[in-house]
Amino acid sequence: MRSRHPVRPVPALAAVLLTTALALTGCSASGSDSGGSAANDKAAAQSDAKGSAPGGEKGANGAKPARAPRLTSSIIRTASLTVQVKDVPKALDEARTTTENAGGYVGDETTTRDEKGRERTRVVLRVPVEKYDEVLAGLQGTGKLLDRTAKAEDVTDQVVDVDSRIKSQRASVARVRELMNQATKLSDVVELEGELSSREADLEALLAQQASLKDRASLATITLSLTETPVKAAAKDESPGFLDALAGGWDAFVTMLRWLAVAIGAVLPFAAVAALIVFAWLRLIRPRLPRRPAPAPAASALGPLPSAPPVPGNGPRPDGGEH
């Protein structure tokens, strides 16, 4: 019999080494592939960013990318005018016609009269912003301009903020409605209804604010005051003389006499009634009143008291004369 030879380990070791080399080669290849793909992705992202940036390179089709829309400014314009005219109703009709021809309308109107019967009218006019300067110049030409005030307020930031809040609030309302459709418990439905009502109220307030800003920015407000009162002339700087002082003193004297006559005329009826009462008392009533008896001389326990002796020089003399 043949004896079996032992298996040499050289071929087995070679096979193991070959398998390991193949595995390492595959890993390095996959790693290089993944690195290349990552680099390609990064380059593609950079090219896309360049193409999307404003003013960047042209796209694949050769056309420039669209730029972001320019923000439109919102400015609220207000003005106040005071004009002196000869005829207030006529000037008011002209102001109304000018405003309506410009595409605006007449708001509040107030008319008063002074103690001399002269009219004064205050009216609020709303005109488109495009016709603001034209209407303002026309109103100034209706008479003599006494006062003018003009203001311009930029509310662009407020408009943008309100628009953004409206979009967010509408999305919030839509989410609450979706949750209501998915709710199964009555308690959840009640809670979501309350939250929906609150958010819808906030949305309505924002919409009202947006409408107000849009109205004030699209239509300028002009407050026009028309008056017939003339402008007061400046007082002359003249020092008073002797004749001026004499005339002033005479006017004061006449005024004093006039007030004295008025006072006497007011007191005279009361004085006449008082005089009649005094006359009736002295002439008619007092004489008819009973007179009181003369008082008796006082007496004491020893008899009547002696009367006082006459004062010397006051009584009659024996010869019938007087001292």
Side-chain angles (χ1 to χ4, degrees):
M1 285 182 70
R2 288 183 178 180
S3 61
R4 293 182 179 180
H5 296 282
V7 180
R8 297 180 179 180
V10 176
L13 180 60
V16 172
L17 291 176
L18 181 60
T19 304
T20 304
L22 292 175
L24 291 175
T25 304
C27 291
S28 61
S30 63
S32 62
D33 293 341
S34 62
S37 62
N40 294 334
D41 294 341
K42 184 177 181 181
Q46 290 178 353
S47 63
D48 292 342
K50 277 187 176 182
S52 62
E57 298 179 355
K58 294 183 180 181
N61 55 357
K64 289 186 177 181
R67 294 185 178 182
R70 181 176 297 177
L71 186 63
T72 304
S73 60
S74 299
I75 299 177
I76 297 176
R77 299 185 181 273
T78 57
S80 177
L81 296 177
T82 302
V83 182
Q84 178 188 349
V85 295
K86 295 181 179 180
D87 190 355
V88 170
K90 183 179 178 181
L92 182 59
D93 291 340
E94 294 178 358
R96 288 175 176 170
T97 303
T98 302
T99 302
E100 292 175 357
N101 291 338
Y105 65 92
V106 180
D108 298 337
E109 179 181 340
T110 304
T111 302
T112 58
R113 289 181 179 271
D114 58 7
E115 61 277 2
K116 295 184 180 180
R118 292 174 294 199
E119 289 188 8
R120 181 181 178 88
T121 298
R122 180 180 178 274
V123 62
V124 178
L125 309 175
R126 303 296 308 279
V127 297
V129 177
E130 298 79 9
K131 301 289 185 178
Y132 170 74
D133 295 330
E134 180 182 348
V135 174
L136 202 60
L139 295 176
Q140 293 178 11
T142 57
K144 184 177 181 180
L145 181 62
L146 302 180
D147 185 26
R148 172 182 171 175
T149 303
K151 296 181 181 180
E153 181 183 1
D154 191 355
V155 294
T156 306
D157 295 340
Q158 298 183 25
V159 172
V160 172
D161 179 66
V162 171
D163 293 344
S164 176
R165 292 170 61 187
I166 287 176
K167 292 180 181 178
S168 301
Q169 196 67 20
R170 282 176 174 169
S172 177
V173 170
R175 286 196 301 269
V176 174
R177 288 177 177 173
E178 290 179 0
L179 292 175
M180 286 184 62
N181 295 332
Q182 298 175 2
T184 56
K185 295 182 180 180
L186 181 60
S187 59
D188 295 341
V189 173
V190 172
E191 183 177 358
L192 290 173
E193 284 182 351
E195 185 67 22
L196 179 62
S197 300
S198 176
R199 298 191 182 189
E200 286 181 344
D202 294 340
L203 178 60
E204 291 177 359
L206 290 173
L207 291 174
Q209 186 177 356
Q210 183 187 46
S212 176
L213 289 173
K214 183 178 180 181
D215 176 71
R216 293 165 60 193
S218 60
L219 294 176
T221 303
I222 302 176
T223 303
L224 176 63
S225 297
L226 301 173
T227 177
E228 296 178 355
T229 306
V231 181
K232 295 182 179 179
K236 297 181 179 181
D237 187 11
E238 296 180 356
S239 58
F242 174 76
L243 295 178
D244 296 332
L246 183 61
W250 176 255
D251 293 338
F253 178 72
V254 172
T255 303
M256 183 188 66
L257 291 180
R258 186 181 299 112
W259 282 108
L260 285 176
V262 172
I264 292 173
V267 174
L268 189 59
F270 299 96
V273 173
L276 289 176
I277 293 175
V278 171
F279 179 79
W281 172 261
L282 295 177
R283 296 296 182 180
L284 300 177
I285 300 176
R286 186 175 180 182
R288 297 182 180 181
L289 293 177
R291 297 183 177 179
R292 295 180 180 179
S300 63
L302 300 177
L305 295 175
S307 59
V311 179
N314 293 334
R317 295 186 299 181
D319 55 0
E322 294 182 357
H323 293 286

